[in-house]
Structure formats: C-alpha cells, structure tokens
C-alpha cells in the first residue's frame, strides 16, 4: 500500500495576491513573500525565491493572473496587448526549465479566447495547473515506487525535487515519499548540492518534516557511496527532457548518472510530462543557464574562495538518455528512454512501453 | 625548459620552535602558529592546521624533535623510553596519510642509534626530510610536465596538493606549476573541494600567488567540464598508494577518475615515494578516516544544513589502479600502475617502466 499525504506547499494564491515561501533563506527562516505584480514575480524566479521546474511553471501562471488584473484595470480594451510584455519578461526569467514556457503558453492560449474581466477565468486555469501538478506528483510517486523492486533500499537524490520544487509532494521526493511509506526505501542520502545547497537546506528539511531519515553527503562522496554498495537507486527530477529522452537537470546529475552506470546502480528521473519538450530533438539543444560565479565563490552569503579566483557555474547539465534507466511521469514510465518511447508516452501510452 | 621557482612554505622550524601556517583560516588570514610541544602539534595535525600527506610527515618529524628536546631535558637517561608516548600520540593524529608513519619510523630509527643530546642530530634528520620533499616535488614537476603531450592544455585538480600540502612547490600543483611555466598548461580548473574547501581556499590562493589562471568549479560541474572537452588531464596528489597502485586521496578523487575514464581524459597521480605503502597490498586495506559530520553540515563556521540532518563524511576514497593513467614520483613515472611496476619503481627503476 502506498500512502499519500499532504506536504508543504511553496506557492499560494489568495485574495488576488501570490505568496511564495522564500527558498533562499530556508531552513533558517520560513517566511512567505507577498507579490502583487508579475514583474516582482519574474525577479523572484530569477533570484530563486522559488525554484524547481514545476514550481516555476505554476508561479509563472499565477504571475500572469497578477499581470491580467493590473493590465485590465489599466486599460480594459487593450489589456491583451499590454500583457505581452509581462509574459515576455516572465519568459526571460530563467532559460532551462521548460515548464515556465509551457505554463506561459497555456495562459496565453486562454487569454486569446477571453472576453470581459480576465481574473476569474485565468485564476481557474492557474489553479488547475497547480492542482494537476500535485496530482501528477502523487501518481508519479506511486508509479516510481513500484519500479523499486528492492526491499529496504537506500537511495541517493540530488538537489531538491520535492514539494518545494513543485505544487506539493514532489517528483523525485514524491517517489521517495511513496516508496518510504511502502517500506521499499528505508534511508535517503542527499547530495548537499553546491553551490546553492538545495540538498542541505531544502531536501534535508523536507525529509525531516516527514520523519524520513536523511543523510547528507558532499557531492564528492557519491562515488564512494556507490562503491561501498550503500545505495540501489539514484532518483532525481528534471528541468527539461528532450524528445529523445536526454535530461537537463541540476548540475551534477550527469556525473551521478555516469557513476551509477559504472556501479550498476539504477538511475530514475521523475518529472511530469509538462517537463518534456517535444520541440527539442536532443539534449545538447537545451539552453543551459550560466549563473553568477559568486554562487561558487561564496557559501550562503559568506565569501569562501580566494580573492581573485574565477568560477564556472553552469546551473544544469545534460544526461544522455542512454544513461537513464527509467523516466517516470504521471502518464506512466518508460525504461531505457528513446525518441519512440517518449513519443508513445506523450500520446498516452501505457505504464510500460 | 621547465622553470623551477620557490613557493610558500607551510612549515618552518626556527630556534627550537615549529611554526605552521594556519590552513584553517587561509586565505582570509595568513597567520603562523608557534609550537613548542609535540602534543600541541598532534592536535594541530588532527585539526588540520597543517594538512596534505607530505606536509603531515614533515610536521611530525619536527614534532619528534620538539618531543626529544622536552624529554631529554626532563630525564636525559630515560628520554628514549619517555618519547614513545609522544610518537604514539602523533601516530594517532590522522590514519590515512602514510607519510606520517613513514616520518615517525624514520625518526625512531635515528633515535635508536643516538648518544647524548638528541636535538641537533634529530633536527638534521627532520630538515633532510623537509628538504628532500621539496626536491622530490621539483623532480616530479619536471617528470609530470613531460607526460603532458598536449599544447596549451587545461587541467582539473582536486583538493590542494600544492606547496601548502608539502614542504613547498607541491605534488599535483608542482606538476601544474612546471607545465604552466613550460606553456603546456594554460588554464587550471580547481574543484572547490567540499566540505573543507581546500580548492577554493588553498589551491586558488596558491595559483593566484603565482599568477596562474584558476577557475573554481563545484565538484558537481566536473562531469560537464569533461563532456564539453574543456580539459585534457585530471592531476591529483595522494595520501597513500598501495603496493598494487590503488590510490587513497581526498574524497571525490575516485569519482573524478571514473568520469575521466568515461570521457577519455587522462588521470595523473603525483606523489613522492614516501606516499607509497609497500605493506598494503591493495587499496581496500587502506584505513579511511571518517571526519565529523559537522564539516558537511556547516560551510566554514556557518551552519548550512537543516537542523536534525545527519551527514556521512569520509575524508578519503580509494581509486583502483586500473583507473589511473600515470603515477608520477621523484623516482620516475609509471603508466597503468600495477604491483610489478610499483615494485620496480620503488627499487629505483627508470622513468618509464
């Protein structure tokens, strides 16, 4: 039996305002920031107040609602034209997670067909995106847990693909939550995930809230962990999956996939189909965000590197499909992904293709 | 032409006192700490005021000199018996770097044969250990640079195997210094090396002092760096090399070796023969130090991880010989190391065996 339960929700829309848990300061402080304009929200996405591909998509959808409220109040005749710059500004906030563009496209399509005050109908669309993401996570949790045939396994996850990265429950952490509830997983190792420490700050915090035992490691210890036979699976999320099954995800994912294959550890990617970009043929075409070198030169707000040193700080890497054992989505899972299997999955294929 | 030049020296003995640069606070502060007792020095090794296998060996040799001064003053008849507990205490400071035990054994052998005041003869032995280490590094630098057949290569190093880890000049960084002077290397990438940040704090600082361009990366970016063809070699030091060529070195080295092999990047280990332990048949028999989880749960002195999280923090890992392309020592280099080649090298084989 797989137990499904509620988790923290990083995104909340209430009384024409958007509230985001500030993930920059977790777990030290748990604070919500209130947003009333889409420009503020675009800045929040860029600055990683909210992060994680599905969460960025949901946030952008609500930001479009805020923009529609403002533009319709400004000029109820021309608001559909005026809102284009808001949508464009949101689209420029971060380049890699495709859920952002998926959500903006979905909102745009509804805007095109609207008459009258856009608030209520657009909020309904954003709420649906939000709710469907949470439901997709529960479904993925169940499907992913079924793939773990080991009993009492330990697994490694990278970055934070949890409730905080989604509408709630999480993708990779959704699978881990479901498998833990089902006693298939009894221990979770989490990469601390430099430079932003999503693992140490967010994943550890989420797991502890649910009383799931979590042991942090420096990324550099992952190979030793596998060498010593301590884990059965690596389970991660995704920021964009190409049509051939190549996976863009947090920097370090590609290295973990190589190490997993070398040690015959299984490698699972859990992501909703909104993360699959059928317009991108292969992973090398996915735009990879380069972030400020300051993130590497500092740890939290404290300078750690020698003055004068430079840093290279790509936020994501691309894992080729041939290193992925399974992609789990709300529509089912595929093993050893390729173009044909992804296409079949997207058109509503069965659990196993 | 390979230029050899002087570098920072982390260890200094003057007027019956030992001075160590405090590597815990570099590069923010450059301070020396003065030591007059071997117990203090053992604590300094344990707490990583000084670190790096060759530097630990040299430091321990000077600590024995301090112990001899004290014990001979206390009881000139029984000092050789009394000093045994000092040597034992030093031996228990850190378990993995074999240079520590090599240096203590060498000092013990000289103690056994001493008559009268031990200070001057023992100081001479310690000075010799120190000086020979520096000379070994210059020799390794030259040999290692010759192995780099690429022109204008970029390389990746891990942790700090530099002047600060040795008597001076460095092992891996000695090779890099020599190859940079010879224009074979034009760019150095350095892993920041969590949790202790030897790369960000020490390696970057050393390279910048010598005007060698250095770009830091999070460990998680190493695979991407190789995938994009940005580096030709990974060059690291070692804490202990088994008789079959297996290499214990800073946690993360093993993973880099796998990634290097996967991407057809060459993998070089530079270490003096004092790091080779002919009494250890294979790497899995090398004792691996587990350090406090606090190192992972914090970054410098600042807590980063969620309260309640645990951490797994092995300080070293073991890279099997079959992933090593070359071991460079002051006695020459060997490619694709194995038991026969290591034995031949130790008995004074030629540069290429």
């Amino acid at each position: 039996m797989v137990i499904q339960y509620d988790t923290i929700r990083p995104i909340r829309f209430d009384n024409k305002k958007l509230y985001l848990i500030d993930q920059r300061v977790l777990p030290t402080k748990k604070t919500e920031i209130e947003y009333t304009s889409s420009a503020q929200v675009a800045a929040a996405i860029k600055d990683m107040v909210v992060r994680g591909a599905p969460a960025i998509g949901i946030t952008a959808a609500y930001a479009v609602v805020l923009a529609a409220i403002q533009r319709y109040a400004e000029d109820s005749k021309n608001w559909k034209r005026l809102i284009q710059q808001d949508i464009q500004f949101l689209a420029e906030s971060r380049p890699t997670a495709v859920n952002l563009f998926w959500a903006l496209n979905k909102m745009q399509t509804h805007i095109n067909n609207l008459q009258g005050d856009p608030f209520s109908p657009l909020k309904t669309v954003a709420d649906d995106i939000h709710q469907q993401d949470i439901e997709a996570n529960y479904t993925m949790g169940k499907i992913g847990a079924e793939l773990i045939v080991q009993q009492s396994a330990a697994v490694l996850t990278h970055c934070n693909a949890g409730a905080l990265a989604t509408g709630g429950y999480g993708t990779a952490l959704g699978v881990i939550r479901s498998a833990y509830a089902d006693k298939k997983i009894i221990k979770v190792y989490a990469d601390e995930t430099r430079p932003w420490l999503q693992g140490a700050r967010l994943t550890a915090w989420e797991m502890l809230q649910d009383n799931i035992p979590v042991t942090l490691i420096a990324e550099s210890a992952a190979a030793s962990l596998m060498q010593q036979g301590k884990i059965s699976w690596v389970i991660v999320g995704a920021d964009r999956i190409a049509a051939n099954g190549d996976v863009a995800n947090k920097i370090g994912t590609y290295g973990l996939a190589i190490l997993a294959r070398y040690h015959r550890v299984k490698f699972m990617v859990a992501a909703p189909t909104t993360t699959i970009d059928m317009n991108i043929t292969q992973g090398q075409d996915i735009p990879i965000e380069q972030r400020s070198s300051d993130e590497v030169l500092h740890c939290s707000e404290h300078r750690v590197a020698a003055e004068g040193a430079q840093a290279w700080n790509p936020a994501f890497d691309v894992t080729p499909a041939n290193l992925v054992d399974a992609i789990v989505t709300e529509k089912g899972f595929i093993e050893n992904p390729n173009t044909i299997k992804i296409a079949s999955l997207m058109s509503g294929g069965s659990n196993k293709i």
Side-chain angles (χ1 to χ4, degrees), chain A:
Chain A
M1 185 194 60
V2 175
I3 298 163
Q4 294 175 352
Y5 53 90
D6 204 9
T7 61
I8 191 150
R9 304 270 176 105
I11 303 157
R12 188 165 68 85
F13 195 92
D14 187 38
N15 196 23
K16 300 195 176 179
K17 289 172 186 164
L18 176 65
Y19 297 87
L20 300 174
I21 291 178
D22 187 352
Q23 301 193 30
R24 299 169 304 180
V25 297
L26 278 176
T28 314
K29 294 179 202 155
K30 191 187 159 200
T31 53
E32 272 186 342
I33 302 180
E34 177 187 291
Y35 296 91
T36 52
S37 94
S38 72
Q40 291 170 345
V41 178
I45 293 171
K46 196 175 200 122
D47 201 30
M48 296 172 70
V49 172
V50 65
R51 27 63 54 199
I56 289 171
I58 297 160
T59 300
Y62 283 122
V64 172
V65 177
L66 295 179
I69 295 168
Q70 186 189 338
R71 296 303 182 187
Y72 187 75
E74 275 173 32
D75 185 341
S76 64
K77 265 195 173 166
N78 295 304
W79 74 272
K80 289 187 184 183
R81 183 171 54 75
L82 294 170
I83 203 172
Q84 294 311 309
Q85 61 184 292
D86 302 315
I87 291 172
Q88 183 59 31
F89 198 57
L90 285 164
E92 287 165 2
S93 61
R94 295 194 72 189
T96 304
V98 76
N99 310 60
L100 171 66
F101 311 105
W102 173 87
L104 293 176
N105 283 339
K106 192 169 172 105
M107 297 304 283
Q108 181 68 63
T109 302
H110 280 82
I111 287 169
N112 294 343
N113 299 324
L114 274 182
Q115 304 289 340
D117 187 337
F119 167 65
S120 182
L122 286 184
K123 177 170 179 296
T124 301
V125 179
D127 283 344
D128 283 351
I129 290 173
H130 192 180
Q131 190 54 39
Q132 282 166 19
D133 183 70
I134 297 168
E135 285 169 18
N137 291 339
Y138 285 128
T139 306
M140 278 188 276
K142 192 170 184 306
I143 295 171
E146 282 170 8
L147 283 176
I148 300 170
V149 295
Q150 295 83 358
Q151 288 299 311
S152 306
V155 300
L156 173 63
T157 190
H158 186 63
C159 193
N160 171 268
L164 290 165
T166 61
Y169 202 67
T171 54
L173 294 193
V175 171
I176 287 171
R177 284 184 161 99
S178 294
Y180 183 79
D182 213 24
K183 297 188 168 50
K184 287 182 163 180
I185 289 174
I186 57 164
K187 182 162 189 179
V188 178
Y189 289 94
D191 276 346
E192 63 170 1
T193 319
R194 277 283 289 157
W196 218 69
L197 296 167
Q198 288 94 333
R201 298 192 300 107
L202 309 181
T203 294
W205 183 73
E206 273 197 34
M207 294 287 92
L208 289 164
Q209 298 241 321
D210 291 354
N211 294 311
I212 299 175
V214 62
T215 299
L216 287 165
I217 60 167
E219 269 76 281
S220 56
S224 258
L225 196 74
M226 296 186 202
Q227 188 184 39
Q228 294 177 30
K230 287 184 190 283
I231 58 165
S232 304
W233 283 86
V234 174
I235 305 177
V236 298
D239 288 81
R240 191 184 309 210
I241 299 174
N244 70 343
D246 292 350
V247 176
N249 191 45
K250 177 55 53 197
I251 188 75
T253 303
Y254 169 56
L256 285 180
I258 296 168
L259 298 178
R261 182 60 53 90
Y262 186 85
H263 294 95
R264 301 183 186 193
V265 167
K266 291 279 196 174
F267 190 85
M268 183 194 301
V269 176
T273 51
T274 52
T275 303
I276 298 176
D277 184 352
M278 295 302 282
N279 295 318
I280 293 266
T281 312
Q282 53 185 357
Q284 67 188 57
D285 301 328
I286 298 172
I288 297 297
E289 179 184 13
Q290 295 285 330
R291 290 186 67 85
S292 167
S293 60
D294 279 345
E295 289 185 351
V296 175
L297 301 174
H298 292 70
C299 196
S300 304
E301 71 270 39
H302 307 286
R303 175 88 189 188
V304 290
E307 290 293 336
Q310 301 192 305
W312 184 61
N313 185 25
F316 305 97
D317 59 24
V318 174
T319 302
N322 66 17
L323 292 174
V324 176
D325 290 300
I327 292 177
V328 172
T329 76
E330 81 283 7
K331 291 190 179 178
F333 71 89
I334 53 176
E335 292 180 303
N336 308 312
N338 59 31
T339 303
I340 294 167
K341 290 180 185 177
I342 292 277
S344 175
L345 176 78
M346 292 302 277
S347 64
S350 63
N351 270 4
K352 183 144 186 174
I353 296 161

